[in-house]
Amino acid sequence: MTPEERAAAEAVIDLDAEENACPACGGRIPGEARMCPECGLVLG
Ligand SMILES: [Zn+2]
């Protein structure tokens, strides 16, 4: 994985971040949330 690919992947979802970006809709998901408040996507 190149540094560029790694950065792109981390931009999509970073479980260590306080907020995650939903991989489905791009909405912000609070770090403690287990589903996207925007579209309802359930995270791992
Ligand atoms: Zn979403």
Side-chain angles (χ1 to χ4, degrees):
M1 181 178 280
T2 69
E4 289 78 12
E5 288 172 336
R6 179 178 170 83
E10 289 183 346
V12 174
I13 186 163
D14 182 350
L15 296 178
D16 293 326
E18 290 189 8
E19 279 193 342
N20 299 309
C22 176
C25 74
R28 293 188 179 196
I29 305 173
E32 70 275 17
R34 287 296 171 264
M35 64 179 287
C36 175
E38 299 293 330
C39 73
L41 178 77
V42 178
L43 303 176

